[in-house]
Every structure is written in C-alpha cells, then in structure tokens.
Amino acid sequence: MEIQLPQILFQIVNFSVVVGALTYLLFKPVQKILDERSNKIAEAQKAAQAVIEEKDAIETLKKQSKRDAEKAAAAILDEAKKDADVRSQELIQKTQEHGKAQLTKLQAEWQNEKKEMVKELKAQFTDAVIATSAKVLGEKLDSKAHSKLIDQEMNTILKAL
Amino acid sequence: MSAGGLHISISAEPVAHFGNFTVSNSMLTSLVVSALLITFAFAVRFSLKQTNRPSGLQNFAEWMMEGLISLVHGVTGSEKRTRHFLPFVASFFLFIMMNNWLGLVPGVGTIGYLEKPEGEEHAQLSPSQVTLPGTVAQASTEAASETTTAPAVEVVDPAHTPAGEEEVVGGPIDLQVEAGEVHEEATTAEAEHAEAKFVPYFRAGTADLNTTIALAFVSVFMTQVFGVMYLKLSYFGKFFNFSSPIGFFVGILELILEFAKIISFAFRLFGNIFAGEVLLAVITFLVPLVVPMPFYGLEVVVGVIQALVFSMLSVVFFNMATIGHDDH
C-alpha cells in the first residue's frame, strides 16, 4: 500500500475541477431553475389564495343579497296579501249587495209576473168555465156575476196554494 | 486475473510515467469519472429550459438535485448553509458513487497488459498471489547468489545475521524467513517473476488509498474553511482553548480529531470498496458463472451507501464546524 503525495495532489486537483465544473454547469443552473419554479408556484398559490378570498367575499355578498331579497319579497308578499284581503272583502261585499239587489229585483219581477199570470189565468179560467157552463146549461150566464163567483173560488184555491 | 490466476493488488498499479510522476490505473478511472460527470453537467446545462413540466435529462437532473438538496437541508436546517455545502456534498456523492460503480463495469480490473517485472518492484505471495508493492522484505544474506535467485523476497539467515537484526523490516510488510526455506521460496519467486505481470488499465478510483485520502483531505479542509467563514477567527478557539487546563486538553483532542477524520474517512471508503473488489474477485475466481451476480448487485448498493456515508458525514462535520462552541 503506497501513499504517494503526487497522486494525492493530483486527485485533489482533479476533484476540485469536478466540483468547479459541476457547480458552474449543473448545481447552480438547476438550483436556479428550481428556485424560479418555486417562486412561480408560490406566486400562483398567492394569486389562487386571492381568488379564493375574492370568491368567499362574493359568496358572502351573494348570501347577504339573497337574505335582503328574501326579506323584501316577504314584505311585498305580506302587503300583497293584505291588499288582496281588503280587495276580496270589498268584492265579497259588492257581490253580496249586487246579489241582494238582483234578488229583490227578481222577487219583484216574479211577484209582478205572478200577478199577471194569475190575472191571465183567472181570465182564461173564467172564460173557460163560462163557456162550459153555457154549453151545459144552454143559457147565457151573466158574465159579471159569474166572474165574481169564480174569483171567489180562485182566491180560495190560491190561498190554499 | 494474472497469468497464473487470481490478481489482487492492494495498491493501484502504475500504467504510465511522466518523469517522476507516475500515473496509476485508479487515476485513469478517476479521470474517466470526472470526464463523465463533466459531460453529464454540460449535457444538462444545454438541455435546461424554464418549464413547469421538465422531461428527459432535465427531469433526471432536477430529481437528483432535489434529492441532494433535501438530504443536505435535512442536516443543516438552514437555506444559507445548504447553498454553501451543497456543491461539495453533491460532488462527493456523485464522484464517489461513479468511481465505486465504474469498478464494477466489466473490463475494469480485468482488461490490461502483461508487464515484465523490473528488479524488485513487486512481489507476489503464494499461494494467495496477493501482489505487494515495493520491497517486501529486506535482510542481509551471506551469499549474493541467493539474493539474485530471490530478488523479491529476501531472507534472513539467523546464522549469518548480526546480533539485533534477526527480524528485519522493509516496506509495509515484515517478513522473517528461515534459511532452510530460502531456496524453495527463491525458486518460486524466480519462477513467478519469469512470467509477465498482469497490469489492469483501470481500477476503481476509490479502491486506491491515495484517492480516498485526497477526498478525505478536501472534506476536512472544507470543514475548516466553512468554520472560519461562519465563526471567523473564533472558530480556532475550540482548538486553542486556554481558559482552563481541561479546555486546553479538549482543544488538543479536537485538533487530533481533525487529523483522525482524514484517516477515518479515507480508510472507511477504501476498506469497503477494496473489500468488495476482493470479494468479487475471489467469488468470480471460485465460481465464475451465476454465483457472482448477487454479489455484484450487493456491490452496486454498497457503492451508493458508501458515497452516501461519506457525503452525510461531510455535511455533518461542515454543519458542526459552523455552529459556535457555545451553541452545542
């Protein structure tokens, strides 16, 4: 086993050259690229964080706006309900009044019509009875007296009705 | 494999000489690793684009860098310290891992040339055939003919050895050989030297102690640099503490520790990688087919783990050096 100083010195110089070359050609450039990429990633992460924060702010604003809108909608709905109630009450009242008026009118019309019909029926019945009686009896009855008699009978029937 | 069989050498073999400067096969591998890493860095540099979806080479480079950054940041916990330490820690990791892995590539350690031994450059021990560099043993022998027949392993003859020189130390390994064994050993050595010695062109860089010492030295040196960079001159206070006798001795221990770090770093890495290479060589020598495959897989993992251990220890030491003594 020989320890030779020139060989040791040669190996020291050789290794120093390797260190220098690798540092200049490999370590520093690769480390620079790695650093730049790390910085880029850090910046991108920062930007992404900012976007996330902005998104959160927008989300909060959106929720707030939704709450406000819901409140406003509830208020409008309440007011509309109140209006509708008032209007429906008015309409019901009007309808009831209108119905009553119509009913009264119809009742009056019906009474008039009834009277007319009774009158007409009475006249027709009287005529028919007189004509029948005249044929049966063979004589001409006094229509006035006869009518009076029939009226009495008719009133009795109508009352019974 | 040497001409005779298994080839294991503790030290890196010289493959070229420029004057007094010897180029070893581990140095060649380190140069190849450096070239590969720099080529990769160039390829990444010119394929870089500012995009959110990287692909191909850029994707791989970014994945690798992010892993290394998180590894360093996990220890330092500081952006500034991570930026300062990263180039060295990442370079340690890539350089060591590539060196470890390159040692496993087929051809590395097995393709080489046959060299006729010159004089006493190497001795190969039988039967293990471990090659030991330098003069393995040295002793005084009476007959000159004996030394010429056994040039690599010389012997001690107690009958002819002067008093006090019975055991002779030469080189990193001591050998004591009885006179009766001289002839046999010498004949073996002569026969082996008659054969040409196999020298691989490449050897894993981290399987050479010189490489690991160099890396360990850079790590410890940079620890001091970062210490001074962050704590200024007060950093040296932990070594030269005159506030109390105990503090003074602790300072000396701290100083010794810095040198121990070099030894610890260097031998840990060298030991693990060299042991792996020996393991693979032995297994391949014993059972050449199929059986070595799981061991190769194991060595791939060991290569990463050792690179990680060296890098992590370095970053821990860097970080400790930048924290004031009172902050501990």
Side-chain angles (χ1 to χ4, degrees), chain B residues 16-40:
Chain B
H17 298 275
F18 296 101
N20 289 332
F21 186 71
T22 304
V23 178
S24 67
N25 45 13
S26 69
M27 285 164 73
L28 285 183
T29 312
S30 294
L31 281 175
V32 170
V33 167
S34 304
L36 284 174
L37 287 175
I38 292 170
T39 309
F40 170 71

Side-chain angles (χ1 to χ4, degrees), chain A residues 1-4 6-8 10-12 14-15 17-19 21-27 29-31 33-37 40, chain B residues 22 24 27 30-31 34 37 41-42 44-45 48-51 62 65-66 83 87 90-92 133 208-211 214-215 217:
Chain A
M1 196 160 16
E2 290 174 10
I3 295 172
Q4 293 185 347
Q7 289 193 13
I8 293 171
F10 170 84
Q11 294 288 12
I12 289 171
N14 180 33
F15 182 72
V17 170
V18 171
V19 172
L22 291 184
T23 305
Y24 180 71
L25 295 168
L26 183 67
F27 303 145
V30 173
Q31 204 164 6
I33 282 201
L34 290 175
D35 288 346
E36 282 173 5
R37 192 177 300 141
K40 228 173 167 181
Chain B
T22 304
S24 67
M27 285 164 73
S30 294
L31 281 175
S34 304
L37 287 175
F42 262 110
V44 171
R45 179 72 188 86
L48 283 181
K49 278 182 287 183
Q50 186 54 265
T51 170
E62 285 188 13
M65 281 298 293
E66 278 182 333
R83 281 184 189 281
S91 300
F92 277 136
D208 179 8
L209 194 60
N210 293 309
T211 312
L215 292 171
F217 178 79

Side-chain angles (χ1 to χ4, degrees), chain A residues 7-96:
Chain A
Q7 289 193 13
I8 293 171
L9 287 176
F10 170 84
Q11 294 288 12
I12 289 171
V13 172
N14 180 33
F15 182 72
S16 304
V17 170
V18 171
V19 172
L22 291 184
T23 305
Y24 180 71
L25 295 168
L26 183 67
F27 303 145
K28 278 190 177 172
V30 173
Q31 204 164 6
K32 191 182 164 199
I33 282 201
L34 290 175
D35 288 346
E36 282 173 5
R37 192 177 300 141
S38 298
N39 291 339
K40 228 173 167 181
I41 289 167
E43 279 172 19
Q45 278 178 333
K46 212 183 270 182
Q49 190 62 38
V51 168
I52 288 168
E53 280 169 12
E54 200 176 338
K55 185 199 141 209
D56 287 347
I58 290 169
E59 199 78 24
T60 313
L61 196 66
K62 190 179 138 193
K63 278 181 187 167
Q64 185 64 40
S65 303
K66 194 181 164 191
R67 272 201 296 270
D68 291 348
E70 279 173 352
K71 268 186 194 171
I76 290 167
L77 197 66
D78 282 349
E79 206 172 321
K81 268 185 185 171
K82 277 179 194 168
D83 279 356
D85 284 347
V86 171
R87 286 189 71 183
S88 70
Q89 290 296 326
E90 282 174 3
L91 280 172
I92 288 166
Q93 205 174 344
K94 272 185 186 174
T95 310
Q96 280 175 344

Side-chain angles (χ1 to χ4, degrees), chain B residues 45-73:
Chain B
R45 179 72 188 86
F46 292 112
S47 71
L48 283 181
K49 278 182 287 183
Q50 186 54 265
T51 170
N52 285 338
R53 298 177 69 181
S55 60
L57 198 62
Q58 181 176 347
N59 195 23
F60 174 73
E62 285 188 13
W63 167 77
M64 188 184 74
M65 281 298 293
E66 278 182 333
L68 289 167
I69 289 168
S70 69
L71 202 73
V72 178
H73 196 264

Side-chain angles (χ1 to χ4, degrees), chain B residues 300-311:
Chain B
V300 170
V301 177
V302 168
V304 181
I305 289 172
Q306 286 308 316
L308 198 64
V309 165
F310 195 100
S311 311

Side-chain angles (χ1 to χ4, degrees), chain B residues 77-94:
Chain B
S78 150
E79 189 81 16
K80 188 184 168 191
R81 286 192 175 101
T82 303
R83 281 184 189 281
H84 281 146
F85 301 163
L86 184 74
F88 288 93
V89 177
S91 300
F92 277 136
F93 181 75
L94 294 176

Side-chain angles (χ1 to χ4, degrees), chain A residues 147-161:
Chain A
S147 291
K148 198 177 175 182
L149 186 69
I150 288 166
D151 281 345
Q152 281 174 352
E153 287 301 320
M154 280 294 288
N155 285 336
T156 312
I157 292 165
L158 285 170
K159 275 180 187 171
L161 287 172

